Structure formats: structure tokens, C-alpha cells
Amino acid sequence: MVDWSTLPNNGTNGSESLSLQDIEDEFGGDDVPDGDIELSFYYNGGAYVPDVAWNYAIPTLRNANGNFKDPLDPLSFNAFYGAVWGTFVNFTMCGGGGGGGAGSSSGRGSNNVGNGSAGGTSTVSMDTNSGFGGTAAGGAGGLHGDSANFNGTAGGGSIFGTGGQATAENTNGSNGSGGGAAGAGGGGDRDSGKGDNIGYGGTGGTGGATLEGGSPSPPDINNNRYKYNSVINFSAGNGGGGGSGSFSTGGNGVRGRLAITYDGDTYYLGGSGEHVVGSLAEIDDVP
């Protein structure tokens, strides 16, 4: 069973006993007027006990069709050994990568027409805990024709990806690869046909910023767990577009990404969406 619960994992043979107070300490119940708590408050999927695989032994309030059971299955203290309210959750997130600047055909950094766009800000939050989450800024866009020579410079990487590779002259910049990575600058015009040889490559964008958070280390069962069935909402910052309108086009940045880790597994969101804590655990995962 889990080792992140305040309840003992076994005791059905009398080795350890459970009290109603033990169950209240794990799942809550202080909000009940006059402390008039009862075992019947703690059905699986009710106000206090999250409906996750770890709590499979506790009878549920609802049937397979989602309707309330009538009558309810009886509750026993034995069902609560190893049951758990929440877990330690950590996240790593990055903003969107910036787009690379366009390469120029005449002059260095002569105008802003071909600058790459900045990446967007990523955000993450949890519906049951306002202290969980935050924002990660997007990367800056690269500049038009601002490299030191004809070649476009590489895009910046992120915690999840690699920026577009440096670009040869007369070539469009490559896109970033992986969440939050930036696009490369476009190559400059080595010879515009006039024999002037004065084009310059664009500079690559920068990768999206990183934010990490969640349960601090070392974990503390009594203070920094998050409730199972909590909904984590993620809004991925868009990748910045590569600069254009000059000579060669800069590479595009990649949108932000989120990694959520708990119970020994990591789940990834490569775009905006939500994740329900514990929803992907199965009975086979329960020791």
C-alpha cells in the first residue's frame, strides 16, 4: 500500500487499530458542526474521501452509472487501512519559445520588420489549493539581420527541448524541437544579385523560462500533500513565430509544456488542458 498516508497499512488482524479520529485526521472533517463526525461521512467519492485506486477497499457512494447507491454498502474500519487523502505533487513548466529573426538582404539590423515574435506565458493552477502553481514567461524573439555574419544563430533551448540549429546563409531558420524551445534566425543574403554581399543572418529566439513547484523537499505527510481528484489546469504559452518580410524567414518557437510528477510517475501536457490527480492510477498499480 501507499507510504504517504497517516493511516497504517495493515491491522485487519488486530496488529494496529483505527479510530474515527485517525480517519478524520487523514481525510478531514473539522468543518462538521460541533465535531459530530460519523463513519458514514467517509464513503469513497464523497466530500472527504477521493475516488482513486488507492482507496478501492472503501465502498463508493455511486454505482457504475454515476447514480447514488440505495441502499449504500456498509462501511467498516478495516476498509481504511492504507487509505489516503492526498499525495506529494511536483511540477515543472516552461513558457513558449521565441521565434527566430529573419535574415536580411541588405544591411544589419536595418529595421524591425523581420523580428521574431516572443513566446507566450504558460500558467498552471490547482482547483483545491491556490498556493499550487504560477507562471513561466515566454522567450524573447530573435532580431532581424543582427548576427555577426551571414549565418543565422541558433535558437535557445528549454528544459524540455532544443532550439533550432544555426542557419547557413540564404536559408530559412529551423524550428525549435520540444516544448518551449526557440527558433533559429534565418540566414542572410550572401549575394543579393548585385554583388554587394551585405546581408546578415537573424538571431535565434530564446527558450521559454522554467518554473518548478509543488511539494517541497523533504516531503512532510502532515503539511505538503495535495488532495487526490484535484484538477490541475494548464495553459500553454504559444511559441513565437519566426520573423519574415525581409529575406529568409526565422524558425518558429514551440509552445510551452508541463510535467506533473506524483506517486512515482510523470505525466506531460504538451498543450493547454487539465489533469486530475490520481485519475490515471489503476488497481494494478496498487501494491
Side-chain angles (χ1 to χ4, degrees), residues 174-240:
S174 57
N175 300 331
S177 175
D189 184 4
R190 182 63 179 260
D191 186 343
S192 65
K194 302 177 182 178
D196 47 26
N197 294 344
I198 57 173
Y200 285 84
T203 57
T206 59
T210 300
L211 179 70
E212 297 179 321
S215 300
S217 182
D220 180 352
I221 286 178
N222 295 310
N223 291 314
N224 52 46
R225 289 184 296 163
Y226 296 94
K227 186 179 182 181
Y228 281 116
N229 293 160
S230 296
V231 179
I232 296 174
N233 290 289
F234 175 55
S235 176
N238 291 325

Side-chain angles (χ1 to χ4, degrees), residues 40-59:
S40 61
F41 287 25
Y42 296 104
Y43 274 92
N44 193 340
Y48 299 105
V49 179
D51 184 9
V52 290
W54 314 115
N55 297 330
Y56 70 95
I58 302 173

Side-chain angles (χ1 to χ4, degrees), residues 60-76:
T60 60
L61 275 176
R62 300 174 184 271
N63 58 29
N65 296 323
N67 299 317
F68 284 103
K69 293 180 178 178
D70 185 16
L72 291 171
D73 298 320
L75 283 175
S76 71

Side-chain angles (χ1 to χ4, degrees), residues 24-271:
E24 181 180 350
D25 289 345
E26 173 65 18
F27 291 104
D30 292 340
D31 55 332
V32 177
D34 301 322
D36 191 18
I37 199 76
E38 299 177 5
L39 189 63
S40 61
F41 287 25
Y42 296 104
Y43 274 92
N44 193 340
Y48 299 105
V49 179
D51 184 9
V52 290
W54 314 115
N55 297 330
Y56 70 95
I58 302 173
T60 60
L61 275 176
R62 300 174 184 271
N63 58 29
N65 296 323
N67 299 317
F68 284 103
K69 293 180 178 178
D70 185 16
L72 291 171
D73 298 320
L75 283 175
S76 71
F77 281 92
N78 284 344
F80 288 87
Y81 285 101
V84 62
W85 171 85
T87 188
F88 305 110
V89 182
N90 293 96
F91 71 86
T92 301
M93 174 178 66
C94 70
S104 73
S105 59
S106 59
R108 183 178 179 198
S110 57
N111 59 60
N112 294 325
V113 171
N115 287 349
S117 300
T121 298
S122 294
T123 62
V124 64
S125 62
M126 180 184 286
D127 66 339
T128 60
N129 192 309
S130 60
F132 181 97
T135 62
L143 301 179
H144 162 242
D146 201 49
S147 73
N149 51 44
F150 303 108
N151 299 325
T153 63
S158 73
I159 194 167
F160 293 118
T162 304
Q165 296 182 348
T167 310
E169 59 200 46
N170 304 336
T171 305
N172 291 332
S174 57
N175 300 331
S177 175
D189 184 4
R190 182 63 179 260
D191 186 343
S192 65
K194 302 177 182 178
D196 47 26
N197 294 344
I198 57 173
Y200 285 84
T203 57
T206 59
T210 300
L211 179 70
E212 297 179 321
S215 300
S217 182
D220 180 352
I221 286 178
N222 295 310
N223 291 314
N224 52 46
R225 289 184 296 163
Y226 296 94
K227 186 179 182 181
Y228 281 116
N229 293 160
S230 296
V231 179
I232 296 174
N233 290 289
F234 175 55
S235 176
N238 291 325
S244 61
S246 179
F247 178 62
S248 63
T249 301
N252 297 322
V254 185
R255 65 186 177 185
R257 197 178 193 196
L258 173 70
I260 306 164
T261 301
Y262 60 88
D263 299 354
D265 292 311
T266 299
Y267 306 95
Y268 295 93
L269 290 177

